[in-house]
Amino acid sequence: GLAAWVYGTSNHVHETNRNIQAWALDAWQNGATGIVPWQTVNKSGSALKEADQLGLFIFDKDDSGETVVRHSMRLKAYRDAQQLIEYLNLLQEQRGWTQDQMQRFVNQYVDLNAQVNKTNEADAGTSAYGRLSASGLETLRMAAAKLLEAKK
């Protein structure tokens, strides 16, 4: 009944967005309820011109001067992670698998060994998953979907 949220930072713009997906999946498979990315809003709009690790939501002006919110492609990675985890939650419920069984299922497809990079002692850190492949994440998603469909 305990809800645990893992605090951290989104990947740098020059790094793969798979790190976000792996971070969420890693937290979930170890019992977390969710993840909490540090500071996601770039209010100045500067993230449209220069890389901003924290700028997932970017305030900008449209042609008429109205404020609009643009988003980074990293936001798609958060959505993809949420959808994969929803598949895994459904699969766990459908099959009656324990957390340990789910962890073994996930580990068949993806390598979630992480390195946490911190800029200083107060920094929550940014997880990097160097051995995680896009094909592994997709294969995991497809395997979960296939098992869900097979049970119907």
Side-chain angles (χ1 to χ4, degrees):
L2 178 67
W5 294 77
V6 178
Y7 181 67
T9 306
S10 301
N11 59 286
H12 288 278
V13 175
H14 64 276
E15 295 172 343
T16 177
N17 291 336
R18 287 189 303 271
N19 283 327
I20 290 171
Q21 295 171 291
W23 173 34
L25 189 56
D26 191 18
W28 173 83
Q29 78 164 359
N30 285 294
T33 305
I35 57 175
V36 181
W38 166 253
Q39 185 58 30
T40 59
V41 178
N42 174 271
K43 292 181 182 177
S44 69
S46 64
L48 294 171
K49 296 181 177 100
E50 58 189 48
D52 180 356
Q53 179 183 9
L54 306 178
L56 298 180
F57 299 95
I58 306 160
F59 283 55
D60 190 24
K61 301 282 184 188
D62 65 12
D63 292 337
S64 66
E66 294 292 317
T67 299
V68 294
V69 179
R70 311 222 187 263
H71 57 83
S72 163
M73 283 301 292
R74 289 170 294 158
L75 193 57
K76 180 182 180 299
Y78 279 102
R79 185 202 62 205
D80 290 349
Q82 185 276 328
Q83 290 175 343
L84 173 58
I85 290 168
E86 186 61 30
Y87 268 17
L88 295 172
N89 281 331
L90 290 169
L91 182 62
Q92 183 175 19
E93 182 180 323
Q94 183 189 75
R95 299 284 170 143
W97 287 352
T98 65
Q99 185 174 339
D100 184 57
Q101 289 172 309
M102 288 305 297
Q103 201 168 39
R104 285 187 304 215
F105 176 73
V106 169
N107 290 336
Q108 289 181 63
Y109 300 98
V110 294
D111 183 347
L112 295 176
N113 289 316
Q115 175 182 347
V116 178
N117 302 310
K118 296 175 80 166
T119 57
N120 58 56
E121 191 59 35
D123 185 0
T126 304
S127 297
Y129 298 83
R131 290 183 245 158
L132 181 70
S133 70
S135 62
L137 284 166
E138 180 60 14
T139 304
L140 172 60
R141 187 185 70 77
M142 294 298 292
K146 190 173 186 176
L147 286 171
L148 284 166
E149 183 64 26
K151 195 72 169 183
K152 286 186 176 182

